[in-house]
Each structure stands twice: as structure tokens, then as C-alpha cells.
């Protein structure tokens, strides 16, 4: 039989530092074990978050990142962004009717000032953004099925909304989409609608007035330029698609003023030379036409004189050939030459012819 150590059971009766026995300390440690495990799990789950935030801070505070953020490239981007904002604000402030009216005395719209400022590149960044947006819109309309995407987004959103509403009513007793419904539906204020309609009216009147000014040649260069554009478009439309013609028109409208502004002195010099050449040629043609006209007039006068002289000669010759008529006076008839005699007339009655008739009437018995 094995010997039993009398001190083996001693731990069971010994007290710990807090006054409890060893068994109680073991029980307490077992009771505290789940909490310690949960706290360790929480600490482990928080550790990746703290590591990621520390990594982000490290990257943000890295010298390379700071040099990129505060370097010349970032400063240039900030400056260009601020300048673009200022140009857009300046372009928006140009929306005011011009001081000079039309030839008829009619005031122009504020879109005349706006489009003049836009196309004359007074605010180059705003005009560049507008030009790039126009070109991108043309290419998007040509190569991207934007209309199909709109319909696809519409039926996708409506299908998801309907499915979520029906599923929520059957599963949870209330619709899911209706829970996000606002208390009041959004409406457009009347002031906004009035401003929009007024702006649309000004835009329509801009095109109407400009078309009439071009048609009635208020500005001859604009009329000639529009004529040339219509003539070229008439031939280009036969083999150039509509989107290509639209892109070409946008490039000409935006880039032609820019080319003229950047090379204004050279273009004006060549235009002045061409104008002088045209004027000299026109004067030469005018002088030649005057000379030919004077020569033709002299020739016509000479021919008219010759033909008039010949006509006079012919008339004189005809008069000489015609015999002159002789006039004779008729002599009055005399009594000696008269052939009427008194015997040609009957003798006048000597008595009243009605007396015999009355006598015969009285002799007849009644």
C-alpha cells in the first residue's frame, strides 16, 4: 500500500492571499476565463483596424506623399482649378444685354454677350472646358448607347424597388421602398420655373434675331461666312455623316476665332493685301468697262450718223423721182353756156282748180 503524504491535502485547506482557499481561486480563475477570451478576441479584431490606420498615417506623413501634396504639381493643379473657377464665374457674369442694339433699334438678348465672350476666348479655361464637353458629348452620342443605358437604369431601379416593396410586405408586413418615401415629394419652385422659362425665351430669341440679321445682311462678313458654311455643308453632307458634320462645325466655331485672335496681325495684313488687290482689280475692270463702253457709244453714234445720212439720201432721191401734181381752178358757169330753157318747164295754171270741184259737188243731189 502506498504511503500517503500527510502534506498532500494541505493545499486544499490553505488560504490564498485574499482569504480564500486554493480551490476557490481555481474556480474564480475558471469563471474569469470567458471574459478574458472575449477581451482577447476584441483586441485581436481591433488590431487590424489600428494597423491599417497606422499604415495610412505613415503613408500620409511620408516625405514622398508630402512632396506630391505640397509640391509644385499640386500647387499648379490648385492654381489652375482656381483660375478655371474664376473664368467660369467671369463668363457667367457676361450674361447681360449689350449696349449696342440692332440696326432696327431693337435691344439684343443677354446671350449675344454670353456667346461673344465664350467664342472670343476672353475666358480661355471656361471656353476650353465648353469645347471639350461639346466634343465629348458628340463622341458619347456616337459611340455610346446612352439611350439604352438610360432605359436599362430605369427598368433596373424600378424592378428592384418593386421587388423590395413586395418582399417587404410579405416578409416583414411593411414595404421596404415605402419606408424610404419622403414626407413630401420634391417640387420645383415657381421662381425657378419662371427664371428657366425666361432664360429659354432669351435663348430662342437669340437664334431668331441672329438668323434675321444674317438674312438681311446687317453684318456682311457674317452673311458671307454663313453662305460659305452652307455651301460647303451642302457638298459635305453627301459623304460625311451627321455626327462628323456636327464635330466639324463645333471645331470651326470654337477654333476659328482662336486662330484669328492668336494670329490677328498676320491675318489682318494678308486680308488688307487681298483687299487692295481686289480693289485694284475692280478699279481696273471698271476702267476697262468704261473704255469699252465709251468706244461702243462712239461706234453706235458713228453708225447712227451714217445710217441717218443714208436715210436722208434715200428720202431725197425718192422725192426727186416722184412727179409733182398740178392743180387747175374750175371756172364758174355763165348764163350763155347754160342749157336750161324756159320751155322745159310746164305753164302755170291761170284759174283756181278747186272751183270746178266745188261746183260739181254742189250739183250732186244730197
Amino acid at each position: 500500500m502506498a504511503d500517503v503524504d500527510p502534506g498532500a491535502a494541505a493545499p486544499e485547506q490553505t488560504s490564498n492571499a485574499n482569504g480564500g482557499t486554493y480551490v476557490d481561486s481555481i474556480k474564480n480563475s475558471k469563471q474569469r476565463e470567458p471574459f478574458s477570451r472575449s477581451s482577447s478576441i476584441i483586441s485581436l479584431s481591433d488590431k487590424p483596424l489600428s494597423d491599417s490606420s497606422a499604415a495610412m498615417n505613415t503613408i500620409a506623413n511620408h516625405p514622398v506623399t508630402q512632396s506630391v501634396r505640397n509640391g509644385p504639381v499640386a500647387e499648379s493643379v490648385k492654381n489652375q482649378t482656381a483660375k478655371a473657377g474664376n473664368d467660369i464665374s467671369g463668363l457667367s457674369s457676361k450674361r447681360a444685354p449689350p449696349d449696342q442694339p440692332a440696326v432696327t433699334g431693337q435691344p439684343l438678348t443677354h446671350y449675344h454677350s454670353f456667346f461673344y465672350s465664350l467664342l472670343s476666348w476672353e475666358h480661355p479655361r471656361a471656353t476650353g472646358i465648353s469645347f471639350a464637353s461639346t466634343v465629348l458629348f458628340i463622341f458619347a452620342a456616337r459611340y455610346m448607347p446612352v439611350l439604352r443605358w438610360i432605359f436599362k437604369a430605369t427598368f433596373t431601379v424600378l424592378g428592384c424597388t418593386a421587388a423590395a416593396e413586395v418582399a417587404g410586405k410579405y416578409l416583414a408586413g411593411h414595404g421596404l421602398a415605402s419606408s424610404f418615401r419622403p414626407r413630401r415629394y420634391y417640387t420645383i419652385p415657381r421662381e425657378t420655373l419662371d427664371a428657366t422659362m425666361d432664360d429659354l425665351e432669351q435663348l430662342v430669341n437669340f437664334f431668331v434675331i441672329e438668323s434675321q440679321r444674317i438674312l438681311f445682311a446687317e453684318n456682311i462678313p457674317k452673311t458671307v461666312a454663313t453662305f460659305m458654311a452652307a455651301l460647303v455643308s451642302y457638298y459635305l453632307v453627301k459623304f460625311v455623316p451627321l455626327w462628323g458634320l456636327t464635330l466639324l462645325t463645333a471645331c470651326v466655331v470654337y477654333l476659328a476665332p482662336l486662330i484669328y485672335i492668336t494670329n490677328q496681325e498676320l491675318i489682318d495684313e494678308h486680308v488688307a493685301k487681298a483687299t487692295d488687290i481686289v480693289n485694284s482689280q475692280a478699279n481696273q475692270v471698271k476702267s476697262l468697262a468704261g473704255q469699252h463702253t465709251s468706244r461702243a457709244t462712239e461706234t453706235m453714234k458713228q453708225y447712227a450718223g451714217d445710217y441717218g445720212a443714208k436715210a436722208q439720201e434715200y428720202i431725197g432721191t425718192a422725192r426727186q423721182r416722184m412727179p409733182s401734181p398740178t392743180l387747175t381752178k374750175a371756172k364758174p358757169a355763165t348764163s350763155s353756156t347754160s342749157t336750161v330753157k324756159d320751155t322745159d318747164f310746164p305753164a302755170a295754171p291761170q284759174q283756181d282748180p278747186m272751183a270746178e270741184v266745188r261746183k260739181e259737188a254742189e250739183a250732186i243731189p244730197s
Side-chain angles (χ1 to χ4, degrees):
M1 192 173 182
D3 296 335
V4 179
D5 190 5
E12 200 167 334
Q13 278 87 18
T14 57
S15 299
N16 56 8
N18 295 327
T21 60
Y22 178 73
V23 176
D24 294 335
S25 63
I26 294 175
K27 291 180 180 181
N28 293 332
S29 64
K30 289 181 179 181
Q31 290 176 358
R32 290 194 303 269
E33 186 175 0
F35 299 100
S36 62
R37 289 181 180 177
S38 62
S39 62
S40 63
I41 293 172
I42 294 173
S43 63
L44 290 175
S45 64
D46 291 339
K47 188 175 182 180
L49 296 176
S50 61
D51 292 341
S52 62
S53 63
M56 293 297 294
N57 293 330
T58 302
I59 294 172
N61 296 325
H62 197 271
V64 176
T65 306
Q66 292 294 327
S67 63
V68 171
R69 181 180 295 179
N70 301 322
V73 176
E75 291 295 330
S76 177
V77 170
K78 291 179 181 179
N79 294 333
Q80 293 298 327
T81 303
K83 290 179 180 179
N86 294 331
D87 285 351
I88 293 173
S89 301
L91 182 62
S92 300
S93 64
K94 292 292 183 179
R95 298 178 61 179
D99 298 332
Q100 184 178 2
V103 175
T104 58
Q106 183 179 0
L108 303 177
T109 63
H110 64 261
Y111 274 104
H112 286 82
S113 301
F114 176 77
F115 282 116
Y116 178 81
S117 178
L118 177 67
L119 299 178
S120 61
W121 293 81
E122 291 182 358
H123 306 281
R125 292 170 184 83
T127 306
I129 292 172
S130 175
F131 176 56
S133 302
T134 304
V135 172
L136 289 177
F137 177 77
I138 293 172
F139 278 106
R142 172 63 180 85
Y143 292 104
M144 295 182 181
V146 180
L147 189 61
R148 292 187 60 191
W149 289 353
I150 292 173
F151 285 124
K152 184 177 181 180
T154 302
F155 77 72
T156 301
V157 171
L158 294 179
C160 293
T161 302
E165 184 70 15
V166 172
K169 285 185 177 181
Y170 276 101
L171 297 178
H174 60 85
L176 182 61
S178 59
S179 62
F180 294 98
R181 184 186 303 137
R183 294 182 179 179
R184 293 189 62 185
Y185 290 115
Y186 177 76
T187 57
I188 301 176
R190 185 179 181 85
E191 293 79 9
T192 305
L193 288 175
D194 292 340
T196 304
M197 293 304 296
D198 182 69
D199 196 62
L200 181 62
E201 178 188 0
Q202 293 287 323
L203 181 61
V204 172
N205 286 330
F206 164 76
F207 288 106
V208 172
I209 293 173
E210 280 301 308
S211 61
Q212 294 179 83
R213 294 175 72 186
I214 292 172
L215 178 62
F216 297 107
E218 180 178 336
N219 191 342
I220 296 177
K222 286 185 179 180
T223 303
V224 174
T226 308
F227 160 73
M228 295 299 297
L231 181 63
V232 173
S233 300
Y234 172 76
Y235 291 101
L236 288 179
V237 77
K238 296 180 180 180
F239 53 88
V240 177
L242 183 59
W243 72 270
L245 195 62
T246 306
L247 180 62
L248 181 62
T249 303
C251 292
V252 170
V253 168
Y254 277 95
L255 297 181
L258 179 62
I259 295 172
Y260 174 73
I261 291 170
T262 53
N263 304 282
Q264 185 174 2
E265 296 181 358
L266 182 62
I267 293 174
D268 289 342
E269 182 180 357
H270 286 286
V271 169
K273 290 181 180 179
T275 304
D276 293 338
I277 293 172
V278 171
N279 291 332
S280 63
Q281 293 294 327
N283 294 329
Q284 186 177 359
V285 171
K286 186 177 180 181
S287 62
L288 290 175
Q291 293 177 3
H292 287 295
T293 303
S294 62
R295 289 178 182 177
T297 304
E298 293 176 357
T299 305
M300 291 298 293
K301 288 181 179 180
Q302 184 179 358
Y303 283 138
D306 295 340
Y307 285 124
K310 290 181 179 181
Q312 293 293 333
E313 290 178 1
Y314 289 142
I315 292 171
T317 305
R319 285 180 178 178
Q320 291 176 2
R321 292 179 181 178
M322 291 177 62
S324 59
T326 58
L327 299 175
T328 58
K329 293 183 179 181
K331 294 181 179 180
T334 59
S335 59
S336 60
T337 58
S338 177
T339 58
V340 180
K341 297 179 180 180
D342 294 337
T343 58
D344 293 335
F345 298 97
Q350 298 296 327
Q351 297 178 356
D352 186 8
M354 294 302 296
E356 296 179 359
V357 176
R358 284 194 295 270
K359 288 178 179 181
E360 291 177 0
E362 290 177 355
I364 296 171
S366 54

